[in-house]
Amino acid sequence: MAYVISDSCVSCGTCSDQCPVGAISAGDTQYNIDADSCISCGTCAGVCPTGAISEE
Ligand code: SF4
Ligand code: SF4
């Protein structure tokens, strides 16, 4: 099960810097997680300042 980013994302980029597999990239309005690359380590959810990331 991959992690997902909600519309609470403020595009700070912190999660993208911390992801060990580079699954997170910037989108037009918020950051997005590539479900096929995500290994569900949970690191991103722990560093997001707005709590925008959760398990799908
Ligand atoms: S759960 Fe881990 S692998 Fe998946 S996007 Fe977050 S940091 Fe990357
Ligand atoms: S850490 Fe949270 S607020 Fe920052 S880019 Fe990632 S999902 Fe968005």
Side-chain angles (χ1 to χ4, degrees):
M1 206 90 97
Y3 274 63
V4 292
I5 300 177
S6 77
D7 58 11
S8 299
C9 173
V10 295
S11 295
C12 68
T14 302
C15 58
S16 181
D17 292 341
Q18 298 290 321
C19 179
V21 295
I24 309 176
S25 58
D28 289 339
T29 58
Q30 66 174 68
Y31 274 59
N32 299 299
I33 295 172
D34 175 17
D36 291 332
S37 303
C38 175
I39 57 172
S40 298
C41 69
T43 301
C44 55
V47 299
C48 177
T50 65
I53 310 178
S54 58
E55 201 158 14
E56 196 168 39

